[in-house]
Amino acid sequence: MQLHRQLPFVAGAIFLLLLFAAPSHAHNITRLLKDHPAFSTFNHYLTLTHLADEINSRTTITVCAIDNDAMSELLASHPSISTVKNVLSLHVLLDYFGAKKLHQITNGTALAATLFQATGSAPGSAGFVNITDLKGGRISGIIPSDVAAAPTPAPSEMNITSLMSAHGCKAFADTLLANPDAMKTYQDNAEGGVTVFCPLDDPFKAFLPKYKNLTAAGKTAFLEFLAVPMYLSMSMLKSNNGPMNTLATDGASKYDFTVQNEGEEVTLKTKVNTVKITGTLLDEQPLAVYSTDKVLLPKELFKATAAAPAPAPAPEVAAADSPKASKKKKAAPEDEDTADSPADSPNADVADATADGNDGGLRLGSGRGLALVVLGLWLGLLLV
């Protein structure tokens, strides 16, 4: 068995470890590798680069586990953690390849997408690998890729705005760059850890007129509100429901929001609106950048739009809100419920006052009194 980009493998010690033989969502890569000490370094870096979270979140996947000797060769040149992540992600195939499937590849070769391709860090098709059936069942070395192994800056040195611009958040990135105070706050907190929630271009462009109406201080506070002063991986977000302080939080100015999640969906909520995280642009400790489907609005700067009340049934509205409508109902003496209802009480008082001058103390405002009057008149006519 051979996996390669364009060239065959160099010599080395690496095995194809088929971890997830069925489309199950309950796997844990680090737990499975814990029983294989020969892959302890590989397992350690899966955790350090947060690739373990990505692997565990997928339904079907094949991991080409690199043993300790091969990992030592990879780490000998002291690559940045971002470079290590790129190289390791090239060894995670986004499909299940069991032994039977591998040896039944059509024409003996197949193209497979990797996690490196899925991250968006791989240009073109650099994140795909060719699988060739050589009947051996063993991989001869680390998958070579100049693109994956290329030096990358440490996360704290990375140009966050350029990254956001390249992944659909250019409008927000340009707005952040145009605000020196907010940009400095982001940079000052980068070393200690920052998580940014950048709105996609279309919703942010639609929001810009409201942003331009803010004061200078309000604009700075709003931009700082969309970042948290700590590193939060996606798995951390999914396990941490509750309020979050932001870069704009300062004493009485809370500028916070609430993280909520249900299954794989993570949402951010204020008293004004709710947005959903749609993608991961960067997840390299100490920095994480996520895209959102809408612009999250802080209650300190924007008011919630009151929802329109549901219309009540027309007859009930007329009876409760219109005394005249209630008075018309009084003309139907046979309806005792209508005559005695609380909604008709203003008109009932008027009827009672009119009845005070009648003998017998009959209340014309009641259905029973009116019925007795009619009965008396009818008996009088019979006697005549």
Side-chain angles (χ1 to χ4, degrees):
M1 189 65 53
Q2 189 176 70
L3 279 76
H4 56 90
R5 297 264 318 111
Q6 298 296 333
L7 300 172
F9 276 143
V10 296
I14 178 172
F15 297 86
L16 181 64
L17 189 61
L18 299 178
L19 295 174
F20 314 126
S24 168
H25 194 64
H27 48 251
N28 186 309
I29 179 67
T30 54
R31 188 179 302 162
L32 288 167
L33 284 173
K34 186 178 180 180
D35 296 329
H36 301 273
F39 300 95
S40 59
T41 304
F42 177 72
N43 196 16
H44 170 72
Y45 276 90
L46 287 183
T47 300
L48 195 62
T49 60
H50 303 287
L51 282 173
D53 296 333
E54 291 284 343
I55 293 170
N56 293 340
S57 69
R58 295 182 178 269
T59 304
T60 54
I61 205 162
T62 302
V63 179
C64 302
I66 306 172
D67 72 8
N68 294 341
D69 290 339
M71 283 297 299
S72 295
E73 294 180 12
L74 172 64
L75 300 172
S77 60
H78 304 289
S80 70
I81 194 66
S82 298
T83 298
V84 173
K85 181 176 182 177
N86 288 343
V87 173
L88 299 189
S89 64
L90 194 64
H91 292 73
V92 181
L93 312 182
L94 302 183
D95 197 359
Y96 166 67
F97 289 95
K100 184 177 180 180
K101 182 176 180 179
L102 283 170
H103 292 301
Q104 291 180 346
I105 295 175
T106 303
N107 298 323
T109 186
L111 191 66
T114 70
L115 201 54
F116 183 43
Q117 185 70 26
T119 61
S121 301
S125 60
F128 287 86
V129 295
N130 290 318
I131 302 175
T132 303
D133 183 10
L134 297 180
K135 308 299 181 184
R138 178 171 176 167
I139 301 174
S140 58
I142 293 178
I143 301 174
S145 171
D146 292 339
V147 175
T152 58
S156 59
E157 301 170 359
M158 194 171 292
N159 190 323
I160 303 177
T161 53
S162 295
L163 179 75
M164 291 189 289
S165 296
H167 291 83
C169 297
K170 187 176 187 304
F172 174 74
D174 289 347
T175 304
L176 181 59
L177 279 172
N179 190 305
D181 291 338
M183 193 67 226
K184 184 177 186 302
T185 302
Y186 275 63
Q187 293 171 338
D188 290 346
N189 284 271
E191 288 292 338
V194 170
T195 300
V196 184
F197 302 96
C198 61
L200 292 171
D201 282 342
D202 287 345
F204 195 79
K205 288 177 181 177
F207 165 77
L208 277 176
K210 293 182 179 179
Y211 172 80
K212 292 177 180 177
N213 286 333
L214 296 173
T215 64
K219 291 176 181 178
T220 299
F222 167 74
L223 294 173
E224 293 175 351
F225 166 74
L226 293 179
V228 173
M230 63 183 296
Y231 165 76
L232 293 169
S233 67
M234 181 55 71
S235 63
M236 294 168 70
L237 284 170
K238 290 178 180 178
S239 61
N240 283 280
N241 284 324
M244 290 279 179
N245 288 335
T246 67
L247 293 180
T249 301
D250 182 18
S253 300
K254 294 185 68 175
Y255 282 99
D256 60 355
F257 58 80
T258 300
V259 177
Q260 295 180 332
N261 60 76
E262 183 175 350
E264 295 300 310
E265 183 175 288
V266 179
T267 59
L268 313 176
K269 182 179 181 180
T270 67
K271 290 184 177 180
V272 183
N273 70 337
T274 301
V275 306
K276 180 173 66 175
I277 293 179
T278 59
T280 302
L281 308 189
L282 174 67
D283 185 359
E284 298 286 349
Q285 194 169 359
L287 300 179
V289 182
Y290 303 100
S291 58
T292 60
D293 63 339
K294 292 182 291 186
V295 181
L296 187 63
L297 303 176
K299 66 182 185 299
E300 289 80 3
L301 297 176
F302 302 93
K303 294 182 179 180
T305 303
E316 294 182 9
V317 172
D321 298 339
S322 175
K324 292 183 179 180
S326 298
K327 190 172 184 177
K328 289 181 181 179
K329 287 186 178 181
K330 188 68 67 179
E334 68 276 10
D335 189 354
E336 288 190 22
D337 293 337
T338 302
D340 295 334
S341 67
D344 292 334
S345 57
N347 295 316
D349 292 340
V350 175
D352 291 344
T354 306
D356 288 342
N358 293 321
D359 292 335
L362 294 177
R363 297 178 61 192
L364 297 182
S366 66
R368 180 176 299 176
L370 187 57
L372 291 174
V373 172
V374 173
L375 180 60
L377 290 175
W378 180 71
L379 290 174
L381 289 174
L382 287 179
L383 292 175
V384 174

